Amino acid sequence: MSDRYGIGNALVDIIAAPSKALQEVRERVSWLWVPLITVLLLSTASQVTYLSWVDFDWLVDQSVAAALQGGSDPDTEAAIRQFMQPGMMIATSVISTVVIVPVFLVLQATYLHLVNKVAGKPDLRFGQWFALSSWSAFPTIFLSIATFVVLALAPNRQLGQEDISPLSLQSLLINAEPGSSWATWGTSITLVSFWTIALLALGIMRWAGASALKAGIIAIAPYVLVFGAWALVIS
């Protein structure tokens, strides 16, 4: 651990030289709040910007059409239109991001901590695994940046949630019907997801001394379980 190494170096190195960054942040657990807060701020900013920018009447109409799937249900349509107010949608989006992201990272850290207790180096603390989860999530800032770029270049304000995620499997491979279950599934998996998994695996290798194969399996297992089960439910 270098005394000259600062948090700014870590923010750059987690992208450009992750091995070096992970070596340093392992013993600087308190730094985890910087990548975590950065991710939360950019994620909420991109969502608020989108919801403030989009043609909201069009968005509501699209949501109603997707929910009714060509049918007609006045009560359902009224409920959707009543809920989908700009202020309500923005508040829900912000609260969801601020709550769900930290909870996910805590659960991921708990999983890594428990696995490490059984088959790693038991001296590693929960806080260190929470730091690894937070630093591994830092590349998700590129999802927010991509959203800002899409909004800036859009020819009009009629873009759905799937359209502002150019790095998702939905945009790159699946191209499912907007609003469908498969579109939601595909939008939830992005190229950055694989980057995050790679950083987690690298951290497990460096910190717990696991082989590349073992670290990769540990890192990817929860994602395979969750998205695999989700895909089965959709099917």
Side-chain angles (χ1 to χ4, degrees):
M1 185 171 69
S2 173
D3 292 335
R4 296 182 179 179
Y5 196 86
I7 195 165
N9 301 105
L11 291 171
V12 173
D13 285 346
I14 198 64
I15 303 298
S19 292
K20 182 173 180 57
L22 292 174
Q23 176 184 340
E24 297 288 340
V25 303
R26 172 179 170 175
E27 304 305 327
R28 305 178 194 262
V29 174
S30 62
W31 283 2
L32 70 87
W33 298 108
V34 174
L36 176 55
I37 291 173
T38 301
V39 167
L40 292 176
L41 287 176
L42 281 176
S43 296
T44 54
S46 64
Q47 284 299 310
V48 170
T49 300
Y50 167 69
L51 291 171
S52 302
W53 169 92
V54 71
D55 181 338
F56 214 83
D57 291 336
W58 173 86
L59 182 64
V60 173
D61 289 341
Q62 293 296 109
S63 299
V64 169
L68 299 182
Q69 296 182 345
S72 177
D73 186 337
D75 292 336
T76 299
E77 179 174 348
I80 293 173
R81 293 187 181 280
Q82 182 176 5
F83 174 78
M84 289 190 68
Q85 301 296 321
M88 176 65 74
M89 293 295 293
I90 289 173
T92 300
S93 178
V94 170
I95 292 172
S96 297
T97 299
V98 171
V99 172
I100 291 175
V101 171
V103 167
F104 169 78
L105 295 177
V106 167
L107 290 175
Q108 182 171 258
T110 301
Y111 159 74
L112 294 174
H113 182 57
L114 293 176
V115 170
N116 179 66
K117 284 290 186 183
V118 175
K121 293 184 177 179
D123 59 313
L124 290 170
R125 306 182 307 277
F126 170 80
Q128 290 170 300
W129 293 113
F130 187 36
L132 177 60
S133 292
S134 298
W135 280 99
S136 297
F138 185 67
T140 59
I141 64 170
F142 291 107
L143 298 178
S144 300
I145 293 171
T147 294
F148 290 129
V149 171
V150 169
L151 296 183
L153 299 178
N156 58 58
R157 297 189 298 123
Q158 296 184 348
L159 291 180
Q161 288 281 357
E162 299 88 354
D163 300 317
I164 62 171
S165 302
L167 301 179
S168 70
L169 292 192
Q170 163 65 7
S171 296
L172 297 172
L173 294 174
I174 300 176
N175 295 315
E177 183 70 23
S180 68
S181 297
W182 280 115
T184 303
W185 184 89
T187 303
S188 300
I189 305 174
T190 70
L191 293 182
V192 176
S193 302
F194 300 102
W195 191 349
T196 294
I197 292 170
L199 287 175
L200 287 172
L202 181 60
I204 295 167
M205 287 174 58
R206 298 289 184 182
W207 295 11
S211 66
L213 177 60
K214 181 179 178 181
I217 291 173
I218 293 172
I220 201 172
Y223 293 86
V224 172
L225 179 63
V226 170
F227 286 98
W230 187 358
L232 286 175
V233 171
I234 295 173
S235 298

